[in-house]
Amino acid sequence: CGKEFQAMENYQKAIELDRTKTEIYGELARLAAKNRLHGEAAGYYRKMADSGSDEVVGSFQIGKEYYFEGENWKARFDSLKERQKTGTNNSADGPVEQQKMKYYYSLADSAFTVVTRLSPAYAGGFIWKGRMQSLLFADAENTGAKDAYEKALQILGKDDEAKNSKMIIECYKYLGSWYYLGYEKY
C-alpha cells in the first residue's frame, strides 16, 4: 500500500513537469480507486477528460467512482443504523452519512447523464443512470429510473439478447417493481 502512494506522488511530480502526459491521470485514477479513494479517482478522471481524452469514457469512469464513494458512505450509514438498533451507538451522526451518500449518488447521476447525452446508443450509460435514479428516489416517486431502464431496453433489444441477458433482466426487474409500487400507490 505504501508503494502505491509513492507511485501516486511520483505520477503527480511527472504531471507537474509535463501536463501533456494525460495518460498519467488514468494511472493516478486507477491507483486512487484501488485504495478506495474514489473521490480522488473521479477528480483524476475529470482532469484526464478535460485534457482531451474521450469524454464519454471519462464521464463513465467518473460516474462509477462517485457511485463507489456513495457506497462507502452508505456502508457507514448502515453501520450506524445497525449499531443504534443494538444500542452500541447513541450517536446522531446518521444524517451526515446519509447526506454524503446522496451527494455522491447525485454526482454519479450527473456523470451518467453526460454519458447518455454524448453516447445515446450506449445502453450501459442508461443502465447506470437508472441505478443512480433508483438509489436517489427509492420509492418510485419520479420516473427518472423508469425512463432510463426503458431506454436501455430499447437499445439492448437491438443487440444479442443472450449476451445482454443480465442487463435486460435488471431492466425488467426494476420496471416490474416500479409498476407494482405505482399500482400499490394509486
Side-chain angles (χ1 to χ4, degrees):
C1 189
K3 298 285 184 195
E4 291 169 349
F5 288 109
Q6 281 182 317
M8 290 176 74
E9 286 176 19
N10 285 308
Y11 282 140
Q12 289 168 341
K13 288 176 184 176
I15 287 173
E16 288 173 15
L17 293 172
D18 186 355
R19 298 211 181 269
T20 64
K21 302 290 185 192
T22 58
E23 69 277 0
I24 296 173
Y25 287 122
E27 292 300 322
L28 279 164
R30 283 185 281 285
L31 281 170
K34 183 178 177 183
N35 287 286
R36 298 178 49 94
L37 303 170
H38 300 293
E40 279 187 45
Y44 290 128
Y45 281 123
R46 169 57 43 218
K47 287 179 180 180
M48 196 169 87
D50 290 346
S51 298
S53 71
D54 188 332
E55 175 96 26
V56 173
V57 172
S59 294
F60 188 80
Q61 290 302 119
I62 290 166
K64 285 178 62 177
E65 293 304 331
Y66 281 139
Y67 163 75
F68 291 129
E69 186 64 21
E71 288 290 285
N72 287 344
W73 285 100
K74 181 182 184 307
R76 291 177 190 176
F77 177 68
D78 291 346
S79 175
L80 282 172
K81 281 190 341 187
E82 194 58 39
R83 290 193 339 240
Q84 287 171 346
K85 284 182 191 175
T86 62
T88 58
N89 179 25
N90 294 327
S91 172
D93 289 339
V96 171
E97 284 75 11
Q98 192 173 28
Q99 286 175 333
K100 288 280 195 173
M101 174 185 70
K102 287 183 177 185
Y103 171 73
Y104 284 107
Y105 287 159
S106 294
L107 290 175
D109 182 63
S110 296
F112 292 123
T113 298
V114 170
V115 173
T116 61
R117 183 176 41 80
L118 294 176
S119 188
Y122 176 53
F126 289 99
I127 294 284
W128 277 94
K129 173 80 176 158
R131 289 173 183 163
M132 294 306 96
Q133 286 287 300
S134 71
L135 289 168
L136 290 167
F137 305 101
D139 60 356
E141 63 193 42
N142 80 4
T143 62
K146 177 182 107 26
D147 296 344
Y149 278 118
E150 286 176 342
K151 181 65 177 168
L153 273 175
Q154 289 174 358
I155 296 166
L156 292 168
K158 297 175 186 174
D159 285 339
D160 180 8
E161 287 189 12
K163 182 180 101 180
N164 297 320
S165 65
K166 286 176 118 177
M167 288 189 287
I168 292 170
I169 290 168
E170 179 180 339
C171 292
Y172 281 128
K173 280 176 62 178
Y174 178 82
L175 291 169
S177 67
W178 193 88
Y179 282 109
Y180 179 75
L181 287 173
Y183 173 77
E184 289 291 312
K185 279 179 138 177
Y186 305 106

